[in-house]
Amino acid sequence: MAKALAAPGARLRSLWKRCEHFPGGRWLFSRAIGLMAPYTATVGATVARLEPGYALVTMPDRRRVRNHLDSVHAVALANLAELASGLAVLVSLPASTRGILTGLSISYLKKARGALRAECRCEVPASPVDEEYDVTAEISDAAGEVVARAVARWRLGPVR
């Protein structure tokens, strides 16, 4: 029988508290997230702020995330939105609860160019019951214009 994975929320909160105030600590935390979820690391995002129910993640505009239209690729935007939503949800969960992404819907509102920031605010139920939970993440450009809006569906439940 496979061993159940522990809920990551407490581990993420602890690591963030240790890293956030040190020079380079946010970058180091962001690289640690990439080790936990390797595909997430492909966009080169950095966690700028993190607390239960809130995440702010930034992503520089680089050639590796661009498409043939010379704007940020749709999947890079989806990856960034999923990261912001996941961090906001997971750091909110008690140690007895874990979550997994079960759906992601994203609307692209305008071409994304330049440095981007994904922001997610949410309230997460504290009880470890099985339920679906939708959260919204918005991605804005340097001018503050929303370029994409994603709704991430998280399946929350007790650690088994």
Side-chain angles (χ1 to χ4, degrees):
M1 180 181 322
K3 178 183 169 195
L5 294 175
R11 184 173 44 159
L12 289 170
R13 282 190 302 276
S14 174
L15 182 59
W16 176 253
K17 285 189 185 306
R18 284 185 282 162
C19 291
E20 72 173 315
H21 297 294
F22 290 108
R26 293 173 183 191
W27 178 88
L28 185 62
F29 176 84
S30 302
R31 300 302 72 82
I33 294 294
L35 291 173
M36 295 167 79
Y39 183 73
T40 299
T42 62
V43 295
T46 300
V47 180
R49 191 167 152 215
L50 183 61
E51 57 193 55
Y54 180 77
L56 173 63
V57 182
T58 62
M59 182 178 79
D61 187 351
R62 300 168 305 149
R63 185 180 184 287
R64 73 177 356 188
V65 297
R66 285 193 162 246
N67 60 23
H68 64 289
L69 301 172
D70 200 31
S71 60
V72 177
H73 195 283
V75 176
L77 294 171
N79 191 334
L80 184 64
E82 188 269 335
L83 174 61
S85 77
L87 288 171
V89 169
L90 294 175
V91 301
S92 303
L93 299 176
S96 59
T97 307
R98 63 181 173 178
I100 185 169
L101 184 72
T102 60
L104 183 67
S105 171
I106 187 164
S107 298
Y108 303 101
L109 307 173
K110 65 177 277 189
K111 285 185 180 178
R113 293 193 170 109
L116 301 173
R117 47 186 280 147
E119 197 168 18
C120 180
R121 295 179 198 284
C122 64
E123 290 185 31
V124 179
S127 61
V129 296
D130 286 321
E131 67 180 303
E132 297 282 325
Y133 186 71
D134 289 346
V135 296
T136 301
E138 287 190 339
I139 302 173
S140 304
D141 61 17
E145 293 187 51
V146 176
V147 298
R149 185 173 294 115
V151 176
R153 173 161 286 170
W154 287 87
R155 178 83 178 153
L156 305 180
V159 174
R160 296 172 203 213

